[in-house]
Structure formats: C-alpha cells, structure tokens
Coordinates of all heavy atoms in Angstrom, one line a residue:
M1 N -7.0 -7.0 -29.4 CA -8.1 -6.5 -28.6 C -8.3 -7.4 -27.4 O -8.6 -8.6 -27.6 CB -9.3 -6.4 -29.5 CG -10.6 -5.9 -28.8 SD -10.6 -4.1 -28.5 CE -11.2 -3.6 -30.1
T2 N -8.3 -6.8 -26.3 CA -8.4 -7.6 -25.1 C -9.6 -7.1 -24.2 O -9.7 -5.9 -24.0 CB -7.1 -7.6 -24.2 OG1 -6.7 -6.3 -24.1 CG2 -6.1 -8.5 -24.9
D3 N -10.4 -8.0 -23.8 CA -11.6 -7.6 -23.1 C -11.3 -7.1 -21.7 O -12.1 -6.3 -21.1 CB -12.5 -8.8 -22.9 CG -13.2 -9.1 -24.3 OD1 -13.1 -8.3 -25.2 OD2 -13.7 -10.2 -24.4
W4 N -10.2 -7.5 -21.1 CA -10.0 -7.0 -19.7 C -9.9 -5.5 -19.6 O -10.2 -4.9 -18.6 CB -8.8 -7.7 -19.1 CG -7.5 -7.4 -19.8 CD1 -6.9 -8.1 -20.8 CD2 -6.5 -6.4 -19.5 NE1 -5.7 -7.6 -21.2 CE2 -5.5 -6.5 -20.4 CE3 -6.5 -5.3 -18.6 CZ2 -4.4 -5.6 -20.4 CZ3 -5.4 -4.5 -18.6 CH2 -4.4 -4.6 -19.5
R5 N -9.4 -4.9 -20.7 CA -9.3 -3.4 -20.7 C -10.7 -2.8 -20.7 O -10.9 -1.8 -20.1 CB -8.5 -2.9 -21.9 CG -7.0 -3.3 -21.8 CD -6.2 -2.6 -22.8 NE -6.6 -2.9 -24.1 CZ -6.1 -2.4 -25.3 NH1 -5.2 -1.5 -25.2 NH2 -6.6 -2.8 -26.4
I6 N -11.6 -3.4 -21.5 CA -12.9 -2.8 -21.6 C -13.6 -2.9 -20.2 O -14.3 -2.0 -19.7 CB -13.7 -3.6 -22.6 CG1 -13.2 -3.3 -24.0 CG2 -15.2 -3.3 -22.5 CD1 -13.7 -4.1 -25.1
D7 N -13.4 -4.0 -19.5 CA -14.0 -4.2 -18.2 C -13.4 -3.2 -17.2 O -14.1 -2.6 -16.5 CB -13.7 -5.6 -17.7 CG -14.7 -6.1 -16.7 OD1 -15.9 -5.9 -17.0 OD2 -14.2 -6.6 -15.7
N8 N -12.1 -2.9 -17.3 CA -11.5 -1.9 -16.4 C -12.1 -0.5 -16.6 O -12.2 0.3 -15.7 CB -10.0 -1.8 -16.7 CG -9.2 -3.0 -16.1 OD1 -9.7 -3.8 -15.3 ND2 -8.0 -3.2 -16.5
A9 N -12.4 -0.2 -17.9 CA -12.7 1.1 -18.3 C -14.2 1.4 -18.3 O -14.6 2.5 -18.7 CB -12.1 1.5 -19.6
K10 N -15.0 0.4 -17.9 CA -16.4 0.5 -18.2 C -17.1 1.7 -17.5 O -18.1 2.2 -17.9 CB -17.2 -0.8 -17.9 CG -17.1 -1.3 -16.5 CD -17.9 -2.6 -16.3 CE -17.9 -3.1 -14.9 NZ -17.1 -4.3 -14.7
H11 N -16.5 2.1 -16.3 CA -17.1 3.3 -15.6 C -16.9 4.6 -16.4 O -17.4 5.6 -16.0 CB -16.5 3.4 -14.2 CG -15.0 3.6 -14.2 ND1 -14.2 2.5 -14.5 CD2 -14.2 4.6 -13.9 CE1 -12.9 3.0 -14.4 NE2 -12.9 4.2 -14.0
T12 N -16.1 4.6 -17.5 CA -15.9 5.8 -18.3 C -16.7 5.7 -19.6 O -16.5 6.5 -20.5 CB -14.4 6.0 -18.6 OG1 -13.9 5.0 -19.4 CG2 -13.6 6.1 -17.3
K13 N -17.5 4.7 -19.7 CA -18.3 4.6 -21.0 C -19.0 5.9 -21.3 O -19.7 6.4 -20.4 CB -19.2 3.4 -20.8 CG -19.6 2.8 -22.2 CD -20.1 1.4 -22.0 CE -20.1 0.7 -23.3 NZ -20.2 -0.8 -23.3
G14 N -18.9 6.3 -22.5 CA -19.6 7.5 -23.0 C -19.0 8.8 -22.6 O -19.6 9.8 -22.8
A15 N -17.8 8.7 -22.0 CA -17.2 10.0 -21.5 C -16.7 10.8 -22.6 O -16.4 10.3 -23.7 CB -16.0 9.6 -20.6
T16 N -16.6 12.1 -22.4 CA -16.0 13.1 -23.3 C -14.6 13.3 -22.8 O -14.3 13.6 -21.7 CB -16.8 14.4 -23.3 OG1 -18.1 14.2 -23.7 CG2 -16.1 15.4 -24.3
L17 N -13.6 13.1 -23.8 CA -12.2 13.2 -23.4 C -11.5 14.3 -24.1 O -11.8 14.7 -25.2 CB -11.6 11.8 -23.8 CG -12.2 10.6 -23.3 CD1 -11.6 9.3 -23.9 CD2 -12.1 10.5 -21.8
C18 N -10.5 14.9 -23.4 CA -9.6 15.9 -24.0 C -8.2 15.4 -23.9 O -7.8 14.9 -22.9 CB -9.7 17.2 -23.1 SG -11.3 17.8 -22.8
F19 N -7.5 15.7 -25.0 CA -6.1 15.3 -25.0 C -5.3 16.5 -24.3 O -5.5 17.6 -24.6 CB -5.6 15.2 -26.5 CG -4.2 14.7 -26.6 CD1 -3.9 13.4 -26.3 CD2 -3.1 15.6 -26.9 CE1 -2.5 12.9 -26.4 CE2 -1.8 15.2 -27.0 CZ -1.5 13.8 -26.7
K20 N -4.5 16.1 -23.3 CA -3.8 17.1 -22.6 C -2.6 16.5 -21.9 O -2.4 15.3 -21.8 CB -4.7 17.8 -21.5 CG -5.4 16.8 -20.6 CD -6.2 17.5 -19.5 CE -7.7 17.6 -19.9 NZ -8.6 18.1 -18.9
K21 N -1.7 17.4 -21.5 CA -0.6 17.0 -20.7 C -1.1 16.6 -19.3 O -1.9 17.2 -18.7 CB 0.4 18.2 -20.5 CG 1.3 18.4 -21.7 CD 2.4 19.4 -21.4 CE 3.6 18.7 -20.8 NZ 4.3 17.8 -21.7
Y22 N -0.4 15.6 -18.8 CA -0.8 15.1 -17.4 C -0.5 16.2 -16.4 O 0.6 16.7 -16.4 CB -0.1 13.8 -17.1 CG -0.5 13.4 -15.7 CD1 -1.8 12.9 -15.5 CD2 0.4 13.5 -14.7 CE1 -2.2 12.6 -14.2 CE2 0.0 13.1 -13.4 CZ -1.3 12.7 -13.1 OH -1.7 12.3 -11.9
V23 N -1.4 16.5 -15.5 CA -1.2 17.4 -14.4 C -1.6 16.6 -13.2 O -2.7 16.1 -13.1 CB -2.0 18.7 -14.6 CG1 -1.8 19.6 -13.4 CG2 -1.7 19.4 -15.9
R24 N -0.7 16.7 -12.2 CA -1.0 15.9 -11.0 C -2.3 16.4 -10.3 O -2.6 17.6 -10.3 CB 0.2 15.9 -10.0 CG 0.6 17.2 -9.6 CD 2.0 17.2 -9.0 NE 2.0 16.5 -7.7 CZ 3.1 16.2 -7.1 NH1 4.3 16.6 -7.6 NH2 3.1 15.6 -5.9
W25 N -3.0 15.5 -9.7 CA -4.3 15.8 -9.1 C -4.2 16.6 -7.8 O -5.0 17.5 -7.6 CB -5.0 14.4 -8.8 CG -6.4 14.5 -8.3 CD1 -6.7 14.2 -7.0 CD2 -7.5 14.9 -8.9 NE1 -8.1 14.4 -6.8 CE2 -8.6 14.8 -8.0 CE3 -7.8 15.4 -10.2 CZ2 -9.9 15.2 -8.3 CZ3 -9.1 15.8 -10.5 CH2 -10.1 15.7 -9.6
S26 N -3.1 16.4 -7.1 CA -3.0 17.1 -5.8 C -1.5 17.0 -5.4 O -0.8 16.2 -5.9 CB -3.9 16.6 -4.7 OG -3.4 15.4 -4.2
D27 N -1.1 17.7 -4.3 CA 0.2 17.6 -3.8 C 0.6 16.2 -3.3 O 1.7 15.8 -3.3 CB 0.5 18.6 -2.7 CG 0.6 20.0 -3.2 OD1 0.7 20.2 -4.4 OD2 0.4 20.9 -2.4
T28 N -0.4 15.4 -2.9 CA -0.2 14.1 -2.4 C -0.5 13.0 -3.3 O -0.4 11.8 -3.0 CB -1.0 13.9 -1.1 OG1 -2.4 14.1 -1.4 CG2 -0.6 14.8 0.0
W29 N -0.8 13.4 -4.6 CA -1.2 12.4 -5.5 C -0.5 12.7 -6.8 O -0.9 13.5 -7.6 CB -2.7 12.5 -5.7 CG -3.4 11.4 -6.5 CD1 -3.8 11.5 -7.8 CD2 -3.6 10.0 -6.1 NE1 -4.4 10.3 -8.2 CE2 -4.2 9.4 -7.2 CE3 -3.4 9.3 -4.9 CZ2 -4.6 8.0 -7.1 CZ3 -3.7 8.0 -4.9 CH2 -4.3 7.4 -6.0
D30 N 0.7 12.0 -7.0 CA 1.6 12.5 -8.1 C 1.4 11.7 -9.4 O 2.2 11.9 -10.3 CB 3.0 12.5 -7.6 CG 3.6 11.1 -7.4 OD1 2.8 10.1 -7.4 OD2 4.8 11.0 -7.1
H31 N 0.5 10.7 -9.4 CA 0.4 9.9 -10.6 C -1.0 9.4 -10.8 O -1.8 9.4 -9.9 CB 1.4 8.8 -10.6 CG 1.1 7.7 -9.6 ND1 1.3 7.8 -8.3 CD2 0.4 6.5 -9.8 CE1 0.9 6.7 -7.7 NE2 0.3 5.9 -8.6
D32 N -1.3 9.0 -12.0 CA -2.6 8.3 -12.3 C -2.3 7.1 -13.2 O -1.1 7.0 -13.7 CB -3.5 9.2 -12.9 CG -4.5 9.9 -12.0 OD1 -5.3 9.1 -11.4 OD2 -4.5 11.1 -11.8
H33 N -3.3 6.3 -13.4 CA -3.1 5.2 -14.3 C -4.2 5.3 -15.4 O -5.3 5.7 -15.1 CB -3.3 3.9 -13.6 CG -2.2 3.6 -12.6 ND1 -0.9 3.1 -13.0 CD2 -2.1 3.9 -11.3 CE1 -0.2 3.0 -11.9 NE2 -0.8 3.5 -10.9
C34 N -3.8 4.8 -16.6 CA -4.8 4.6 -17.6 C -6.0 3.7 -17.0 O -5.7 2.7 -16.4 CB -4.2 4.0 -18.8 SG -5.4 3.4 -20.1
V35 N -7.2 4.2 -17.2 CA -8.3 3.4 -16.6 C -8.4 2.0 -17.2 O -9.0 1.2 -16.6 CB -9.7 4.2 -16.7 CG1 -9.6 5.5 -16.0 CG2 -10.0 4.4 -18.2
A36 N -7.9 1.9 -18.4 CA -8.1 0.6 -19.1 C -6.9 -0.4 -18.9 O -7.1 -1.5 -18.5 CB -8.4 0.8 -20.6
C37 N -5.7 0.1 -19.2 CA -4.6 -0.8 -19.2 C -3.6 -0.6 -18.0 O -2.6 -1.3 -17.9 CB -3.8 -0.7 -20.5 SG -2.8 0.8 -20.7
W38 N -3.9 0.5 -17.2 CA -3.1 0.8 -16.0 C -1.7 1.3 -16.3 O -0.8 1.3 -15.5 CB -3.0 -0.4 -15.1 CG -4.3 -0.7 -14.4 CD1 -5.3 -1.5 -14.9 CD2 -4.9 -0.1 -13.2 NE1 -6.4 -1.4 -14.1 CE2 -6.2 -0.6 -13.1 CE3 -4.3 0.9 -12.3 CZ2 -7.0 -0.2 -12.0 CZ3 -5.1 1.2 -11.2 CH2 -6.4 0.7 -11.1
A39 N -1.5 1.8 -17.6 CA -0.2 2.5 -17.8 C -0.2 3.7 -16.9 O -1.2 4.3 -16.6 CB -0.2 2.9 -19.3
K40 N 1.1 4.0 -16.5 CA 1.2 5.1 -15.5 C 1.4 6.5 -16.1 O 2.2 6.6 -17.1 CB 2.5 4.7 -14.7 CG 2.6 5.6 -13.4 CD 3.7 5.0 -12.5 CE 3.8 5.7 -11.2 NZ 4.9 5.2 -10.4
F41 N 0.7 7.4 -15.6 CA 0.8 8.8 -16.0 C 1.5 9.6 -14.9 O 1.1 9.5 -13.7 CB -0.5 9.5 -16.2 CG -1.2 9.1 -17.5 CD1 -2.2 8.0 -17.5 CD2 -1.0 9.7 -18.7 CE1 -2.8 7.7 -18.6 CE2 -1.7 9.4 -19.8 CZ -2.6 8.3 -19.8
M42 N 2.5 10.4 -15.3 CA 3.2 11.3 -14.3 C 3.5 12.5 -15.1 O 3.6 12.6 -16.3 CB 4.4 10.7 -13.7 CG 4.1 9.5 -12.7 SD 5.6 8.9 -11.9 CE 5.9 10.2 -10.7
E43 N 3.9 13.6 -14.3 CA 4.3 14.8 -15.0 C 5.6 14.7 -15.7 O 5.9 15.3 -16.7 CB 4.3 16.0 -14.0 CG 2.9 16.4 -13.6 CD 2.9 17.7 -12.7 OE1 4.0 18.1 -12.3 OE2 1.8 18.2 -12.5
S44 N 6.5 13.9 -15.1 CA 7.7 13.6 -15.8 C 8.3 12.3 -15.2 O 7.8 11.8 -14.2 CB 8.7 14.7 -15.5 OG 9.0 14.8 -14.1
G45 N 9.3 11.7 -15.9 CA 9.9 10.5 -15.4 C 10.1 9.5 -16.5 O 9.7 9.7 -17.6
A46 N 10.9 8.5 -16.2 CA 11.2 7.5 -17.2 C 10.1 6.5 -17.3 O 9.5 6.2 -16.3 CB 12.5 6.8 -16.9
D47 N 9.8 6.0 -18.5 CA 8.8 4.9 -18.7 C 7.4 5.3 -18.1 O 6.7 4.4 -17.6 CB 9.3 3.6 -18.0 CG 10.6 3.1 -18.6 OD1 10.8 3.3 -19.8 OD2 11.4 2.6 -17.9
V48 N 7.1 6.5 -18.2 CA 5.7 6.9 -17.9 C 5.1 7.8 -19.0 O 5.9 8.3 -19.9 CB 5.7 7.8 -16.6 CG1 6.2 6.9 -15.4 CG2 6.5 9.1 -16.7
L49 N 3.8 7.9 -19.0 CA 3.2 8.7 -20.0 C 3.0 10.1 -19.4 O 2.7 10.3 -18.2 CB 1.8 8.2 -20.3 CG 1.8 6.7 -20.8 CD1 0.4 6.2 -20.8 CD2 2.4 6.7 -22.2
T50 N 3.3 11.2 -20.2 CA 3.2 12.5 -19.7 C 2.0 13.3 -20.3 O 1.7 14.4 -20.0 CB 4.5 13.3 -20.0 OG1 4.7 13.3 -21.4 CG2 5.6 12.7 -19.2
E51 N 1.3 12.6 -21.3 CA 0.1 13.2 -21.8 C -0.8 12.1 -22.3 O -0.4 11.0 -22.5 CB 0.4 14.2 -23.0 CG 1.2 13.5 -24.1 CD 1.7 14.5 -25.1 OE1 1.7 15.7 -24.9 OE2 2.1 14.1 -26.2
G52 N -2.1 12.4 -22.4 CA -3.1 11.4 -22.7 C -4.4 12.0 -22.8 O -4.6 13.3 -22.8
Y53 N -5.4 11.2 -22.7 CA -6.8 11.6 -22.9 C -7.5 11.6 -21.5 O -7.5 10.5 -20.9 CB -7.5 10.7 -23.9 CG -7.0 10.9 -25.3 CD1 -5.9 10.1 -25.7 CD2 -7.5 11.8 -26.2 CE1 -5.3 10.2 -26.9 CE2 -7.0 11.9 -27.4 CZ -5.9 11.2 -27.8 OH -5.4 11.3 -29.1
A54 N -8.0 12.7 -21.1 CA -8.6 12.8 -19.8 C -10.1 13.2 -19.9 O -10.5 13.9 -20.8 CB -7.9 13.9 -19.0
T55 N -10.8 12.7 -18.9 CA -12.2 13.2 -18.7 C -12.1 14.7 -18.4 O -11.1 15.2 -18.0 CB -12.9 12.5 -17.6 OG1 -12.1 12.5 -16.4 CG2 -13.2 11.0 -18.0
E56 N -13.2 15.4 -18.6 CA -13.2 16.9 -18.5 C -12.8 17.4 -17.1 O -12.2 18.4 -17.0 CB -14.6 17.4 -18.9 CG -14.7 17.4 -20.4 CD -16.1 17.8 -20.9 OE1 -17.1 17.1 -20.5 OE2 -16.2 18.8 -21.6
D57 N -13.0 16.6 -16.1 CA -12.5 16.9 -14.7 C -11.1 16.5 -14.5 O -10.6 16.6 -13.4 CB -13.5 16.4 -13.7 CG -13.6 14.9 -13.7 OD1 -12.9 14.2 -14.5 OD2 -14.5 14.3 -13.0
S58 N -10.4 15.9 -15.5 CA -9.0 15.4 -15.4 C -8.9 14.4 -14.3 O -7.8 14.2 -13.7 CB -8.1 16.6 -15.1 OG -8.0 17.5 -16.2
Y59 N -10.0 13.7 -14.0 CA -9.9 12.7 -12.9 C -9.6 11.3 -13.5 O -8.8 10.5 -12.9 CB -11.2 12.6 -12.2 CG -11.2 11.8 -11.0 CD1 -10.4 12.2 -9.9 CD2 -11.9 10.6 -10.8 CE1 -10.3 11.4 -8.7 CE2 -11.8 9.8 -9.7 CZ -11.1 10.2 -8.6 OH -11.0 9.5 -7.5
H60 N -10.1 11.0 -14.7 CA -9.8 9.7 -15.3 C -8.9 9.9 -16.5 O -9.2 10.8 -17.3 CB -11.1 9.0 -15.8 CG -12.0 8.7 -14.6 ND1 -11.7 7.8 -13.6 CD2 -13.3 9.1 -14.4 CE1 -12.7 7.7 -12.8 NE2 -13.7 8.5 -13.2
W61 N -7.9 9.1 -16.7 CA -7.0 9.2 -17.8 C -6.9 7.9 -18.6 O -7.1 6.8 -18.1 CB -5.5 9.5 -17.2 CG -5.5 10.9 -16.7 CD1 -5.9 11.3 -15.4 CD2 -5.0 12.0 -17.3 NE1 -5.7 12.6 -15.3 CE2 -5.1 13.1 -16.5 CE3 -4.4 12.2 -18.6 CZ2 -4.7 14.4 -16.8 CZ3 -4.0 13.5 -19.0 CH2 -4.2 14.6 -18.1
I62 N -6.8 8.2 -19.9 CA -6.8 7.0 -20.9 C -5.6 7.3 -21.8 O -5.4 8.4 -22.3 CB -8.1 7.0 -21.6 CG1 -9.2 6.6 -20.6 CG2 -8.0 6.0 -22.8 CD1 -10.6 7.1 -21.1
C63 N -4.8 6.2 -22.0 CA -3.6 6.4 -22.9 C -4.0 6.3 -24.4 O -5.1 5.9 -24.7 CB -2.6 5.3 -22.6 SG -3.0 3.7 -23.1
S64 N -3.1 6.8 -25.2 CA -3.5 6.8 -26.6 C -3.7 5.5 -27.3 O -4.5 5.3 -28.2 CB -2.4 7.6 -27.4 OG -1.2 7.1 -27.2
D65 N -3.0 4.4 -26.8 CA -3.3 3.1 -27.3 C -4.7 2.6 -27.0 O -5.4 2.1 -27.9 CB -2.3 2.1 -26.7 CG -0.9 2.2 -27.3 OD1 -0.7 3.0 -28.3 OD2 0.0 1.6 -26.7
C66 N -5.1 2.8 -25.8 CA -6.4 2.4 -25.4 C -7.5 3.2 -26.1 O -8.5 2.7 -26.5 CB -6.6 2.5 -23.9 SG -5.6 1.2 -23.0
L67 N -7.2 4.5 -26.3 CA -8.2 5.3 -27.0 C -8.4 4.8 -28.4 O -9.5 4.6 -28.8 CB -7.7 6.8 -27.1 CG -8.8 7.6 -27.7 CD1 -9.7 8.3 -26.7 CD2 -8.3 8.5 -28.8
R68 N -7.3 4.5 -29.0 CA -7.4 4.0 -30.4 C -8.1 2.7 -30.5 O -9.0 2.5 -31.3 CB -6.0 3.9 -31.0 CG -5.9 3.5 -32.5 CD -4.5 3.1 -32.8 NE -4.1 2.0 -32.0 CZ -2.9 1.9 -31.5 NH1 -2.0 2.8 -31.6 NH2 -2.5 0.8 -30.7
D69 N -7.8 1.8 -29.5 CA -8.3 0.4 -29.6 C -9.8 0.4 -29.1 O -10.5 -0.5 -29.5 CB -7.5 -0.5 -28.8 CG -6.1 -0.7 -29.4 OD1 -5.9 -0.3 -30.5 OD2 -5.2 -1.2 -28.6
L70 N -10.1 1.2 -28.1 CA -11.4 1.0 -27.4 C -12.4 2.1 -27.6 O -13.5 2.0 -27.1 CB -11.1 0.9 -25.9 CG -10.1 -0.2 -25.5 CD1 -9.9 -0.2 -24.0 CD2 -10.5 -1.6 -25.9
K71 N -12.1 3.1 -28.4 CA -12.9 4.3 -28.5 C -14.4 3.9 -29.0 O -15.3 4.3 -28.4 CB -12.3 5.2 -29.5 CG -13.0 6.5 -29.8 CD -12.1 7.4 -30.7 CE -12.8 8.7 -31.0 NZ -13.8 8.6 -32.0
D72 N -14.4 3.0 -30.0 CA -15.8 2.7 -30.5 C -16.5 1.9 -29.5 O -17.7 2.1 -29.2 CB -15.6 1.9 -31.8 CG -15.1 2.8 -32.9 OD1 -15.1 4.1 -32.8 OD2 -14.6 2.3 -33.9
E73 N -15.8 0.9 -28.9 CA -16.5 0.0 -28.0 C -17.0 0.8 -26.7 O -18.0 0.5 -26.2 CB -15.4 -1.0 -27.5 CG -15.9 -2.0 -26.5 CD -16.7 -3.1 -27.1 OE1 -16.5 -3.4 -28.3 OE2 -17.5 -3.7 -26.4
M74 N -16.2 1.8 -26.3 CA -16.5 2.5 -25.1 C -17.4 3.7 -25.3 O -17.9 4.4 -24.4 CB -15.2 3.0 -24.4 CG -14.3 1.8 -24.0 SD -15.2 0.6 -23.0 CE -15.6 1.6 -21.6
G75 N -17.6 4.1 -26.6 CA -18.4 5.3 -26.9 C -17.8 6.6 -26.4 O -18.5 7.5 -26.1
W76 N -16.5 6.6 -26.3 CA -15.8 7.8 -26.0 C -15.9 8.8 -27.1 O -15.8 8.5 -28.3 CB -14.3 7.5 -25.7 CG -14.0 6.8 -24.5 CD1 -14.7 6.8 -23.3 CD2 -13.0 5.8 -24.3 NE1 -14.2 5.9 -22.4 CE2 -13.1 5.3 -23.0 CE3 -11.9 5.4 -25.1 CZ2 -12.2 4.4 -22.4 CZ3 -11.0 4.4 -24.6 CH2 -11.2 3.9 -23.2
T77 N -16.0 10.1 -26.8 CA -16.0 11.1 -27.8 C -14.9 12.1 -27.4 O -14.6 12.3 -26.2 CB -17.3 11.9 -27.9 OG1 -17.8 12.3 -26.6 CG2 -18.3 10.9 -28.6
L78 N -14.3 12.8 -28.3 CA -13.2 13.7 -28.1 C -13.8 15.1 -28.0 O -14.6 15.5 -28.9 CB -12.2 13.7 -29.1 CG -11.4 12.3 -29.2 CD1 -10.3 12.4 -30.2 CD2 -10.7 12.1 -27.8
A79 N -13.5 15.9 -27.0 CA -13.9 17.3 -26.9 C -13.4 18.0 -28.1 O -12.4 17.7 -28.7 CB -13.4 17.9 -25.6
S80 N -14.2 19.0 -28.5 CA -13.8 19.8 -29.7 C -12.4 20.5 -29.4 O -12.2 20.9 -28.2 CB -14.8 20.9 -30.0 OG -15.1 21.6 -28.9
G81 N -11.5 20.5 -30.4 CA -10.2 21.0 -30.1 C -9.2 20.0 -29.8 O -8.0 20.2 -29.9
S82 N -9.7 18.7 -29.5 CA -8.7 17.6 -29.4 C -8.6 16.9 -30.7 O -9.5 16.9 -31.5 CB -9.3 16.7 -28.3 OG -9.3 17.3 -27.1
K83 N -7.4 16.2 -30.8 CA -7.2 15.4 -32.0 C -7.4 13.9 -31.6 O -7.0 13.6 -30.5 CB -5.8 15.6 -32.5 CG -5.7 17.0 -33.1 CD -4.4 17.1 -34.0 CE -4.1 18.5 -34.4 NZ -3.2 19.1 -33.4
Ligands
ZN101 ZN1 -4.2 2.4 -21.7

C-alpha cells in the first residue's frame, strides 16, 4: 500500500465507478491513465490496459489493482451491474 496513489486519486474520492472497456475520449485523445498509479489505458496495444473502472462520465479511469487496493480508502463504490 503506497500513499502516493491515494494522493493522486484524491479528486475521485467517493466516485461511483463502472467496469468497462476503455473507449477513447475523442479523436485527438487516444489514451488515459489510471488516476492513481498512472497505468496507461488505450483501446488496443501492447503493455496497456484495455478495460478498467471508470467514473460515470468515462472521464477518470482506475485500474483493477488500484481499485482493489484503494477502494476502501477512497470510498469508491461500484455501479450496479459492475463486478
Ligand atoms: Zn492504477
């Protein structure tokens, strides 16, 4: 457990998250990063995450490792239908 991830992710505290495939935000924005550990999300590619936990507007993304480790600390809740 590392505190730097909590600090990175603090703006998402209390967010409701949905597990989904990563979808690019716009034509000019082809990737995102986990808000906590900065792991890279892309629609496809080597060494990237292609699915994860997103806020309901799909603007902030969180990887499954950070979800597991930080969920309680961050007060994240999963939207119904997500695992
Ligand atoms: Zn992460």
Side-chain angles (χ1 to χ4, degrees):
M1 179 76 82
T2 48
D3 286 346
W4 62 273
R5 292 190 300 175
I6 291 170
D7 204 47
N8 286 345
K10 62 179 183 251
H11 59 290
T12 65
K13 204 157 196 167
T16 300
L17 304 174
C18 306
F19 187 74
K20 55 178 96 172
K21 281 190 86 64
Y22 178 71
V23 180
R24 60 197 291 172
W25 181 249
S26 76
D27 286 346
T28 54
W29 189 254
D30 69 352
H31 71 280
D32 263 297
H33 294 276
C34 171
V35 296
C37 72
W38 291 89
K40 194 173 186 179
F41 286 95
M42 289 185 76
E43 288 186 351
S44 63
D47 299 323
V48 297
L49 300 169
T50 56
E51 56 189 14
Y53 295 86
T55 52
E56 286 174 297
D57 57 8
S58 295
Y59 190 67
H60 298 299
W61 289 81
I62 293 155
C63 73
S64 51
D65 285 350
C66 290
L67 184 98
R68 185 190 61 225
D69 293 347
L70 306 179
K71 183 172 179 283
D72 293 341
E73 180 80 24
M74 299 307 299
W76 290 328
T77 51
L78 295 180
S80 56
S82 295
K83 295 198 187 87

